[in-house]
Amino acid sequence: MKTFLTDYLLDLQGRADGDPQTAWDFYSSSVLEGRDEIGCDLLLNPPGSSDPEEDEEQESDCFLFEFSDKQQLPCYNLQVSVSRGPCNWFLFSDVLKRLKLSSRIFQARFPHFEVTTLPKAEFQHQVSLSQVLAPEEIQEHLEPPMAPGAVETVELVRYEPELVRLLGSEVVFQAWSS
């Protein structure tokens, strides 16, 4: 550790010309990229010289708004399989209650909607880690542990704009710039 710190401090202060130790070399990711992909030509396109409309598009943020006459169903950002990252899901039971349909009729009418199951313990674990839900919302889904060997599952239906419209909501994208 002493050698490491000594060499580090010498590198910061600058080594003498005759020092047999070499300074550390640090390479950026540019070593791995092609020459054409690195940086930009500042004289070719200086800041502020581009089209003002283009600048507005780059600086504006797009927000997603969901409007509804009814209370919106809770949506959970969950990872239901290892092969795919987290995405938004509704509880299938909530969707069925809102649409006043049975599971069989829903799946017959809307076979293109993805319905999956997740072990209840895994669902509770992922919900407990949520940074979006309020603590009281998280507590609603945490139940006492089940008996050993018992495996309950939770049915989920994937969030899709078409499903949101069926549930009585309107999804609107709105650009906003500062």
Side-chain angles (χ1 to χ4, degrees):
M1 184 54 105
K2 180 180 176 185
T3 304
F4 172 79
L5 291 174
T6 303
D7 284 345
Y8 175 73
L9 292 172
L10 285 173
D11 284 344
L12 289 177
Q13 296 169 356
R15 293 183 179 270
D17 289 336
D19 191 347
Q21 298 285 341
T22 58
W24 294 352
D25 288 326
F26 295 98
Y27 298 101
S28 70
S29 61
S30 65
V31 172
L32 304 174
E33 298 171 355
R35 278 238 182 266
D36 297 336
E37 298 172 8
I38 300 172
C40 64
D41 187 350
L42 194 57
L43 298 176
L44 180 62
N45 188 12
S49 69
S50 62
D51 186 28
E53 288 180 24
E54 232 177 75
D55 286 342
E56 277 184 33
E57 287 177 19
Q58 290 175 353
E59 291 178 14
S60 68
D61 292 318
C62 287
F63 290 97
L64 173 79
F65 293 96
E66 188 174 327
F67 300 102
S68 178
D69 293 338
K70 304 173 188 171
Q71 182 179 358
Q72 295 171 345
L73 295 179
C75 189
Y76 305 95
N77 191 271
L78 305 169
Q79 182 169 357
V80 298
S81 92
V82 179
S83 63
R84 152 170 97 186
C87 55
N88 294 329
W89 298 86
F90 292 113
L91 286 174
F92 193 39
S93 59
D94 290 348
V95 171
L96 295 176
K97 283 180 198 172
R98 174 70 56 93
L99 297 176
K100 298 177 182 159
L101 295 173
S102 70
S103 173
R104 186 176 52 79
I105 293 173
F106 178 87
Q107 289 177 335
R109 285 187 188 170
F110 310 108
H112 55 284
F113 289 134
E114 183 179 354
V115 178
T116 190
T117 59
L118 191 65
K120 192 168 194 171
E122 179 61 23
F123 173 76
Q124 291 175 342
H125 173 70
Q126 288 190 42
V127 168
S128 70
L129 298 175
S130 174
Q131 296 178 353
V132 177
L133 297 175
E136 56 274 4
E137 290 175 302
I138 291 173
Q139 288 297 52
E140 288 177 20
H141 298 290
L142 299 180
E143 296 177 4
M146 299 174 294
V151 178
E152 280 189 62
T153 59
V154 175
E155 285 188 299
L156 304 164
V157 61
R158 188 169 179 178
Y159 179 100
E160 298 284 342
E162 183 183 348
L163 178 60
V164 172
R165 283 190 295 277
L166 283 172
L167 294 171
S169 294
E170 178 185 359
V171 177
V172 177
F173 287 97
Q174 178 67 45
W176 180 80
S177 61
S178 55

